[in-house]
Amino acid sequence: MANEAKKPAQEVGKFQAIISHCKEYGFIFPSSEIYDGLQAVYDYGQMGSELKKNIKDYWWKSMTQLHDNIVGIDAAIFMHPTTWKASGHVDNFNDPMIDNKDSKKRYRVDHLIEGHAELLKADGKEKEAEELLAAMDALLAKDDFAGLKQLIEDNKMVCAISGTCNWTDIRQFNLMFSTEFGSTEASEIPPAGGGGANKVYLRPETAQGIFVNFLNVQKTGRMKVPFGIAQIGKAFRNEIVARQFIFRMREFEQMEMQFFIRPGTQKEWYEFWKAERLKWHRSLGIPAEKYRYHDHIKLAHYADAACDIEFDFPMGFKELEGIHSRTDFDLRSHQEYSKKKQQYFDNDIDPATGKPYGNYIPFVIETSIGLDRMFLAVLSQAYEEQDLSTPERPDSRVVLKLPASLAPIKLAVLPLTKKDGLPEVAERIMSDCRPHFRCFYEEKDSIGKRYRRMDALGTPFCVTVDHQTLQDDTVTIRYRDTMEQERIPIEKIKELVMNAIG
Ligand code: GAP
């Protein structure tokens, strides 16, 4: 990647170190690795799946349990094919791409131009870079592909592989994966509602599963506008330029919430959710300077306002979450295609008329965060390489300073030796704590090595059972971030950990 090469070596090095760490400690493996992996597809290992689940739970609780007017659903990945016609994804879910004729390498046009802008910035040409990006935004907003190609040629942007400026015209590529539904013999039977074939799509966003269930949930849950429906689930996109580890994947997970509101109130609710979502990120203790908003100039086909919450990843500020004011585009379009009314009757009194607001198609504010990107944000924020050398001996550690609530393991219970009844006491502590939070027992290796392993997994607390424990029922508790140790009574362990994980 041309622009990555210009990132400070330290940051690029950190990103590589995080990727290696994920593999070494069971967080993330390349998918089907024994067959050399599958590009932009990853598996979460024993530690990664715990961390990912904790992030999901943190989001789910904050959205559903802490908001009385938001409920959750779990819709199927496969949806009726007409869904994607109505949502606009069949016609509009495209990326403009350009190929280099010499290397045959394909680029997303915006990535190619942004990469060139990064190079300009690295050369101190900030103003030129900003002008280039502004020109790109203006041309993208008009879908002016000839103008974009001209911009690429005028700026002499070259392919990172061939080094040439020999480009094809710009073309659109649809990002949805499709497959066949049912047996091939049955292919003469068209699916209900038309479409003509058995072609179904793997959903490129979870949002549509919410829209098509809007009335089911509203009616059965007796929900009153404003209300929200939240969902966590897999989404699939045939990303052309899939790179940067779990940042851009072909199979990923989204945590989305559609908030249904009265038409005309979208501006205030958009601002509300923009602020609310940033607050959620900050509640994890990540510093404010790691986040920024990026307001969209080119809006998606469904939006009247949109912004990203960007995070300062090791490869720079990039989109982590989107907040979109989706108007009534989706519900209106589903109403049209399904011929089923997607309306809500609002019996609140409109002060302007003194009468009920009546029937309308609600407007929607969407919050949409990639779970895998959140995982990467949390992990890259937590990852620290520390030099602990003293004049007497060199030493270092890698520590994941994960928020205790997200850490895969909350407490490690470590008997100092395998004998003298210490494992039995440790097992008693395990039995007491196991039902409440995830604990880990280990008696192999020196205590120093065991602490280091727990640091690398992000375990916030280790307790060591030693010979003094047999006399006074106390243990040494070691705090991951400060490495400080103190003695506490066994009976205090559970409470201390539970207070920390919230
Ligand atoms: N429903 C709206 C929607 O899907 P989006 O901006 O295309 O909007 C929302 O995606 C979020 O999903 C992004 O902010 C990002 O965190 C995540 N995301 C999108 N494409 C992704 C990919 N290829 N790999 C990982 N995460 C992705």
Side-chain angles (χ1 to χ4, degrees), residues 205 237 239 247 249 254 256 319-320 326 366 368 370:
E205 62 170 11
R237 293 183 190 179
E239 299 283 1
F247 181 81
M249 301 158 87
Q254 289 185 317
E256 298 201 300
E319 174 185 348
L320 170 59
R326 287 182 84 127
E366 166 182 74
S368 174

Side-chain angles (χ1 to χ4, degrees), residues 88-100 104-109 143 145 168-177 204 237-241 250:
H89 284 81
V90 170
D91 297 321
N92 295 315
F93 196 51
N94 303 313
D95 271 341
M97 311 290 301
I98 192 165
D99 293 20
N100 184 270
K104 313 282 181 241
K105 187 170 162 56
R106 180 163 293 164
Y107 292 83
R108 247 177 74 170
V109 166
D143 281 337
F145 294 161
T168 62
D169 284 341
I170 293 172
R171 283 168 297 159
Q172 295 276 33
F173 284 82
N174 194 284
L175 299 185
M176 280 199 294
F177 283 106
R237 293 183 190 179
N238 197 3
E239 299 283 1
I240 311 294
V241 187
R250 294 203 164 103

Side-chain angles (χ1 to χ4, degrees), residues 40 89 93 108 204-208 211 235-239 241-243 245-256 258 296 300 302 307-309 313 319-324 326 366-374:
H89 284 81
F93 196 51
R108 247 177 74 170
E205 62 170 11
T206 59
Q208 297 304 324
F211 288 122
F236 304 83
R237 293 183 190 179
N238 197 3
E239 299 283 1
V241 187
R243 55 162 196 249
F245 194 37
I246 56 169
F247 181 81
R248 196 176 303 284
M249 301 158 87
R250 294 203 164 103
E251 173 179 342
F252 57 101
E253 260 182 280
Q254 289 185 317
M255 306 192 285
E256 298 201 300
Q258 312 295 323
H296 286 200
Y302 50 73
C307 78
D308 298 334
I309 295 179
F313 289 98
E319 174 185 348
L320 170 59
E321 169 156 10
I323 323 287
H324 311 125
R326 287 182 84 127
E366 166 182 74
T367 72
S368 174
I369 175 168
L371 174 56
D372 311 87
R373 283 195 194 172
M374 188 60 198

Side-chain angles (χ1 to χ4, degrees), residues 137-138 141 294-299 306:
D137 285 341
H294 168 77
D295 293 314
H296 286 200
I297 297 170
K298 179 176 163 58
L299 294 169

Side-chain angles (χ1 to χ4, degrees), residues 431-449:
S431 316
D432 188 32
C433 294
R434 193 185 278 123
H436 303 282
F437 45 81
R438 179 88 195 232
C439 309
F440 185 80
Y441 176 88
E442 192 166 44
E443 55 182 31
K444 233 175 103 212
D445 288 330
S446 73
I447 198 72
K449 271 197 184 149

Side-chain angles (χ1 to χ4, degrees), residues 185-427:
E185 284 78 19
S187 62
E188 308 85 58
I189 307 164
N198 285 356
K199 186 172 175 176
V200 287
Y201 297 101
L202 275 72
R203 66 180 178 197
E205 62 170 11
T206 59
Q208 297 304 324
I210 295 178
F211 288 122
V212 299
N213 279 296
F214 156 70
L215 277 185
N216 283 338
V217 174
Q218 190 274 316
K219 292 208 158 97
T220 57
R222 297 188 298 151
M223 308 298 290
K224 260 180 82 74
V225 165
F227 75 93
I229 304 178
Q231 175 167 223
I232 301 177
K234 290 267 183 172
F236 304 83
R237 293 183 190 179
N238 197 3
E239 299 283 1
I240 311 294
V241 187
R243 55 162 196 249
Q244 293 169 332
F245 194 37
I246 56 169
F247 181 81
R248 196 176 303 284
M249 301 158 87
R250 294 203 164 103
E251 173 179 342
F252 57 101
E253 260 182 280
Q254 289 185 317
M255 306 192 285
E256 298 201 300
M257 194 277 299
Q258 312 295 323
F259 199 68
F260 299 93
I261 55 172
R262 205 173 273 155
T265 61
Q266 64 268 33
K267 274 202 174 58
E268 72 198 70
W269 281 115
Y270 173 67
E271 293 304 328
F272 172 85
W273 281 109
K274 235 175 122 169
E276 193 73 3
R277 290 304 303 146
L278 194 58
K279 239 194 270 167
W280 179 85
H281 286 279
R282 296 291 321 283
S283 70
L284 285 166
I286 299 178
E289 64 269 20
K290 289 292 215 171
Y291 293 98
R292 72 181 187 198
Y293 290 121
H294 168 77
D295 293 314
H296 286 200
I297 297 170
K298 179 176 163 58
L299 294 169
H301 56 274
Y302 50 73
D304 72 358
C307 78
D308 298 334
I309 295 179
E310 292 188 337
F311 182 78
D312 189 7
F313 289 98
M315 62 280 191
F317 272 100
K318 302 257 179 208
E319 174 185 348
L320 170 59
E321 169 156 10
I323 323 287
H324 311 125
S325 174
R326 287 182 84 127
T327 67
D328 62 355
F329 172 86
D330 301 86
L331 289 180
R332 184 172 291 284
S333 188
H334 286 307
Q335 171 169 294
E336 223 170 82
Y337 277 84
S338 68
K339 312 263 183 291
K340 311 237 165 50
K341 280 220 175 333
Q342 298 297 307
Q343 291 188 355
Y344 169 80
F345 184 79
D346 190 338
N347 50 20
D348 281 1
I349 302 297
D350 178 353
T353 63
K355 294 188 184 135
Y357 285 98
N359 265 319
Y360 56 77
I361 298 176
F363 271 43
V364 171
I365 305 297
E366 166 182 74
T367 72
S368 174
I369 175 168
L371 174 56
D372 311 87
R373 283 195 194 172
M374 188 60 198
F375 186 105
L376 184 58
V378 165
L379 202 76
S380 53
Q381 178 62 25
Y383 182 91
E384 239 179 78
E385 291 172 8
Q386 294 180 340
D387 182 0
L388 304 174
S389 301
T390 59
E392 290 75 42
R393 64 187 185 101
D395 195 10
S396 67
R397 71 165 181 163
V398 171
V399 55
L400 295 185
K401 291 187 171 173
L402 294 168
S405 57
L406 301 186
I409 300 168
K410 314 298 185 196
L411 175 74
V413 183
L414 315 171
L416 193 62
T417 66
K418 290 185 207 167
K419 46 187 203 274
D420 303 334
L422 301 186
E424 286 77 4
V425 179
E427 187 42 54

